[in-house]
Amino acid sequence: MMSNNKPTIYIHIGLAKTGTTAIQNFIGINRDRLAKYGIYYPQTGLVNNCHHGIAFFWSNNENLKKKFNIPQNQLTQFSEELHANKEKNILISSECLNMKEMNWDELISILPHKNIKFIVYLRRQDNIFSSRYMEAIKGNSTYLPSDKWLENNF
């Protein structure tokens, strides 16, 4: 992940059904090992190894902020944590960073360096549909035939 020895912020925008949870669990388990290689995974905003708290804070969606009890001082905490580790590469990951309500200008303005790279994995839409439909069936959240489910969810 090194880029010309210049610290970089990597923002992993994990889209649904692309292995994001597995990647985040790997990062959580190997956080200390990654730190030895100069990759810092911030603690502020972590929810189950992913930065949902950061995504929810910078979304313009007040309902999400209330629902997940995002503290008002999270901006200060996150900014201080990033600046305390500005000599390192920083990795941020959340599938919620792809919300249309994200306030990217505000988030980017507090980053300690402007060498920013986005990591996004795209999956064929037919595979996403199939995977999400099967997940809905397994979770008992639908009994609709696939064509009706598709109409309601995409």
Side-chain angles (χ1 to χ4, degrees):
M1 274 192 166
M2 295 290 192
S3 174
N4 299 333
N5 295 329
K6 187 177 175 183
T8 301
I9 294 181
Y10 296 91
I11 300 176
H12 175 232
I13 302 173
L15 301 179
K17 310 312 292 173
T18 60
T20 300
T21 302
I23 291 168
Q24 292 162 340
N25 287 336
F26 174 86
I27 294 167
I29 291 168
N30 293 286
R31 186 187 190 125
D32 292 338
R33 182 178 273 167
L34 291 169
K36 289 179 186 176
Y37 290 95
I39 301 167
Y40 183 74
Y41 200 58
Q43 186 68 38
T44 305
L46 275 182
V47 177
N48 297 326
N49 294 320
C50 55
H51 292 103
H52 289 342
I54 299 306
F56 296 153
F57 185 86
W58 273 282
S59 77
N60 290 319
N61 186 323
E62 294 303 318
N63 291 331
L64 281 176
K65 292 177 188 179
K66 288 177 186 172
K67 179 178 179 180
F68 290 94
N69 197 25
I70 306 301
Q72 286 301 312
N73 67 344
Q74 188 151 277
L75 170 62
T76 305
Q77 288 176 342
F78 190 61
S79 181
E80 288 173 356
E81 183 178 5
L82 295 182
H83 285 274
N85 291 282
K86 66 183 177 186
E87 73 285 352
K88 302 171 186 165
N89 291 304
I90 296 170
L91 174 60
I92 301 166
S93 179
S94 173
E95 48 270 43
C96 296
L97 287 167
N98 69 15
M99 294 185 300
K100 65 182 177 186
E101 298 96 354
M102 280 298 299
N103 186 340
W104 283 103
D105 292 334
E106 186 177 347
L107 175 58
I108 288 172
S109 74
I110 65 110
L111 298 177
H113 32 78
K114 301 305 177 201
N115 190 22
I116 303 167
K117 295 188 179 188
F118 289 88
I119 302 168
V120 181
Y121 179 79
L122 303 176
R123 186 172 179 184
R124 283 184 18 204
Q125 291 181 354
D126 58 330
N127 287 340
I128 291 172
F129 163 73
S130 176
S131 180
R132 288 185 65 190
Y133 180 64
M134 292 306 295
E135 184 177 52
I137 290 171
K138 288 178 189 174
N140 294 322
S141 64
T142 189
Y143 297 101
L144 294 173
S146 61
D147 59 333
K148 295 293 182 196
W149 186 85
L150 179 62
E151 286 176 27
N152 293 338
N153 290 279
F154 284 89

